[in-house]
Amino acid sequence: MSSSVFAGLATGIGSWPGTDVREATGIVLGELPALPHVVELPARGLGADLIGRTGALMVDVELDVRTSGYRIAQRATRAGRHAEDLLSRDLDILEELWETGGFAAFLPVLKAQVAGPFTMAAEVELRNAHRVLTDRGAVRHVAESLAEGIREHVAELRRRLGVDVVVQLDEPSLPAVLRGSLPGVSRLDPVPAFPEPDALELLDSVLGSLGVPAMVHCCAAGAPIDLIRRSAADAVALDASLLRSSDLDAVGELLQAGKTLVLGVVPGTTPERTPTWREAAAPAVTLVDRLGFPRSTLASQVSVTPACGLASATPEWARTALTLVENVADAFGDAPDSL
């Protein structure tokens, strides 16, 4: 597989509304034939959210729950075991539906999502209640543990399903990490900004060790597009509605570098009015036109998703959102010049 595995298709970001993993998995497998994903259902509570679920994958790092959030523990915890049990049951159901539904015959690739190293370092505390981000040695340890856990997760999915796997690193905290805008334990003890060169080195250390194509997703305002473009990521996923005029040069350089741009073009929460697929496609079409790229770029280097995860949507809208992004991707592949 190459970076083109992410290009010219529709997929989801990962999260889904409700608590019925069997129903959610069946919908995602059926509605996203180009790139389905492992379903996340954060409405089930602690351990099913992005941080707890990623913690369940990490090797030799245990997480516990405190009133302030997740904290590194000295030994295995009930919260950690609960997160591992949820993930294991989810994969059991995925494997069952994969086999009984015959998906192996026509779904060649599956996407797995995990929190990236900076979001884990920002959102998890050390035992002294400071963020992991405040201790460079701890940041490095968390990144290494995460990379090893992702590799094991990919290997398990391959073994269970006999499928190629790609990885999405979710980094909603990355802009705040680089700005130094995360609050510390007190106003007298702020969390310093993480230098961009060091951030690039750390990100590449994780991406380079995975051995599979990887996409970095950041649906926060001020996503560091240029940094991610310079990394080993094969694709960059962004919320199209958050792109600013000042981001255009970075997006153009990303496309010029041959990487895939994954644009969130459909609302992640239920809108007042359902947009048409043409309305959903418009931000991507306008973007490539403004940058001076041929419309064929929409088929060769652009993919589409909902703006972010669908956990806060209604079940009805979540399904409609997948239909819309699939229709947009089809239009980009069939006749982009007519849009």
Side-chain angles (χ1 to χ4, degrees):
M1 290 186 293
S2 68
S3 61
S4 62
V5 73
F6 290 109
L9 51 80
T11 189
I13 293 300
S15 66
W16 194 262
T19 59
D20 188 336
V21 67
R22 183 177 297 275
E23 179 182 44
T25 299
I27 292 171
V28 167
L29 290 177
E31 297 291 332
L32 295 173
L35 188 60
H37 57 82
V38 180
V39 172
E40 303 165 2
L41 298 176
R44 293 178 294 179
L46 289 170
D49 60 293
L50 178 63
I51 304 301
R53 192 174 180 89
T54 301
L57 296 175
M58 295 175 70
V59 176
D60 295 330
V61 171
E62 301 289 342
L63 299 188
D64 201 359
V65 178
R66 295 289 188 268
T67 55
S68 54
Y70 286 98
R71 183 174 294 181
I72 291 178
Q74 290 183 299
R75 58 186 63 86
T77 66
R78 181 181 300 176
R81 287 192 295 271
H82 177 62
E84 291 169 3
D85 289 345
L86 283 173
L87 179 59
S88 180
R89 289 201 297 270
D90 289 358
L91 296 186
D92 288 343
I93 291 171
L94 172 61
E95 182 179 10
E96 176 191 338
L97 294 179
W98 190 269
E99 292 178 355
T100 59
F103 291 106
F106 61 91
L107 294 181
V109 185
L110 181 73
K111 179 166 67 69
Q113 306 82 220
V114 297
F118 297 103
T119 294
M120 291 301 289
E123 302 302 325
V124 174
E125 297 175 350
L126 298 166
R127 289 194 289 272
N128 63 8
H130 290 264
R131 297 177 193 267
V132 168
L133 195 64
T134 61
D135 183 324
R136 286 297 186 91
V139 172
R140 178 66 61 179
H141 179 57
V142 163
E144 291 171 351
S145 168
L146 175 63
E148 186 173 354
I150 295 172
R151 291 194 297 270
E152 292 184 359
H153 185 48
V154 167
E156 181 177 7
L157 288 169
R158 283 173 166 167
R159 184 179 67 252
R160 282 174 175 259
L161 309 179
V163 68
D164 286 328
V165 179
V166 297
V167 170
Q168 172 184 309
L169 293 183
D170 285 314
E171 285 287 13
S173 300
L174 183 53
V177 168
L178 297 173
R179 287 194 304 265
S181 60
L182 292 165
V185 294
S186 74
R187 293 166 66 181
L188 299 177
D189 197 11
V191 179
F194 205 95
E196 189 169 303
D198 296 347
L200 179 59
E201 180 185 3
L202 185 74
L203 181 59
D204 272 348
S205 73
V206 174
L207 291 168
S209 71
L210 299 183
V212 296
M215 172 173 78
V216 175
H217 165 241
C218 182
C219 60
I225 302 169
D226 188 62
L227 182 148
I228 303 172
R229 188 263 304 169
R230 288 184 285 122
S231 77
D234 299 286
V236 182
L238 307 165
D239 179 348
S241 70
L242 296 179
L243 289 176
R244 306 157 298 184
S245 296
S246 57
D247 294 321
L248 292 181
D249 285 346
V251 173
E253 290 174 4
L254 185 154
L255 293 172
Q256 191 69 40
K259 298 200 173 188
T260 297
L261 175 64
V262 182
L263 280 178
V265 297
V266 172
T269 55
T270 311
E272 292 184 4
R273 183 185 67 84
T274 299
T276 66
W277 68 262
R278 286 186 178 275
E279 290 170 331
V285 175
T286 301
L287 180 64
V288 297
D289 286 350
R290 188 171 178 183
L291 291 172
F293 286 89
R295 289 278 183 90
S296 59
T297 304
L298 293 168
S300 62
Q301 282 185 260
V302 176
S303 290
V304 288
T305 68
C308 205
L310 293 167
S312 298
T314 63
E316 294 77 16
W317 173 250
R319 195 160 193 164
T320 298
L322 296 192
T323 299
L324 279 171
V325 294
E326 185 66 27
N327 289 342
V328 171
D330 287 345
F332 287 174
D334 290 343
D337 288 327
S338 67
L339 297 174

